[in-house]
Amino acid sequence: MPKYWYLWALIIILIPVTVYVCYRAALAAKQAREEREKTIEQLNEAKSLKDEFSLISVSDLKNADDKRVLAGEALLVDLKLRKEIKPAEAFEKLPVERQYAYVLNCILEDCEKDASSFFRKNTPPVSTIAVSALNAAGLDDIADIFSVLYPMFDDENEEVSLNQEKIKAADEKFGSLFNKEKYIALAAKYIKDNASAFTGESLL
């Protein structure tokens, strides 16, 4: 038997382990790079939206790309609220049209899978005006679903409690009705129809 045979055996055992560790390290590096690139892309998009909508004119807003309008106007509100000591109070002082636009964007971002996610992620005053915002934008079918869900998530409503069957039914109905492109188009139309409330003095 060769001298130091156990060292050779150990090396043979460690080779696949080393390959595996290097492979995992490469995957981790790739994932970190992709996440960094995604973050940079999101920051660039946010800057682009801010530059486009912070001091936009009525005519330019009405001619803006529908796919950017809701995100752009909601971003301005979000940036303002982040600077406030009491964001809830600052939100309630905004024109109702801006409040509605912000809430409509929250719904779009938080309801990717189901409507009840919105109420799990948001509290008053945002959750309180969700139904009104949807109705104002002509999204009555979605508003009807939210009107069923809201009382169950309202902490001040002692007469209505969580009903998992109703929540499941509402979420399933939402899934069958929700159309992202239609939602964005109607939200953009609402903003453009009320363009004067979104132009003029900058929020920032």
Side-chain angles (χ1 to χ4, degrees):
M1 184 171 292
K3 192 176 183 180
Y4 304 125
W5 62 270
Y6 52 87
L7 291 178
W8 288 105
L10 182 60
I11 291 172
I12 292 172
I13 293 172
L14 288 177
I15 287 175
V17 175
T18 303
V19 171
Y20 174 74
V21 170
C22 291
Y23 172 72
R24 290 300 301 271
L27 284 181
K30 179 182 178 183
Q31 183 177 3
R33 183 173 64 254
E34 290 175 349
E35 290 178 354
R36 183 170 62 253
E37 291 173 352
K38 183 178 180 181
T39 299
I40 293 173
E41 183 180 344
Q42 290 172 339
L43 290 172
N44 288 335
E45 175 65 7
K47 183 181 184 303
S48 175
L49 288 170
K50 178 186 173 185
D51 292 343
E52 179 178 354
F53 290 96
S54 58
L55 283 172
I56 196 168
S57 66
V58 170
S59 60
D60 286 342
L61 179 56
K62 289 186 175 182
N63 291 318
D65 184 350
D66 283 356
K67 294 179 180 179
R68 292 174 62 80
V69 169
L70 180 60
E73 292 299 341
L75 174 67
L76 296 183
V77 174
D78 185 64
L79 292 174
K80 174 178 174 58
L81 297 180
R82 288 176 184 272
K83 298 188 297 182
E84 299 291 338
I85 297 175
K86 297 180 178 180
E89 292 183 11
F91 178 80
E92 293 180 322
K93 292 178 181 178
L94 293 171
V96 67
E97 294 86 356
R98 284 192 183 274
Q99 292 181 29
Y100 284 176
Y102 181 79
V103 172
L104 288 169
N105 193 66
C106 288
I107 293 171
L108 181 64
E109 291 183 345
D110 296 338
C111 296
E112 185 176 343
K113 295 182 179 179
D114 51 58
S116 60
S117 293
F118 172 80
F119 294 103
R120 293 190 177 94
K121 296 178 180 179
N122 295 279
T123 58
V126 171
S127 60
T128 307
I129 62 173
V131 173
S132 298
L134 289 164
N135 280 323
L139 292 156
D140 300 331
D141 50 352
I142 305 299
D144 290 341
I145 297 172
F146 273 58
S147 65
V148 172
L149 291 170
Y150 173 64
M152 289 188 279
F153 290 90
D154 181 8
D155 292 336
E156 296 182 3
N157 191 331
E158 297 179 357
E159 297 180 2
V160 180
S161 58
L162 287 174
N163 185 315
Q164 295 302 329
E165 289 186 3
K166 284 187 177 181
I167 292 174
K168 181 180 178 181
D171 283 339
E172 289 177 351
K173 186 175 181 181
F174 175 83
S176 65
L177 289 175
F178 184 74
N179 181 291
K180 185 176 182 179
E181 288 72 25
K182 176 185 175 183
Y183 184 98
I184 292 174
L186 287 175
K189 181 179 184 302
Y190 169 75
I191 292 172
K192 291 181 178 183
D193 287 346
N194 296 277
S196 59
F198 295 90
T199 56
E201 184 178 355
S202 174
L203 286 177
L204 308 178

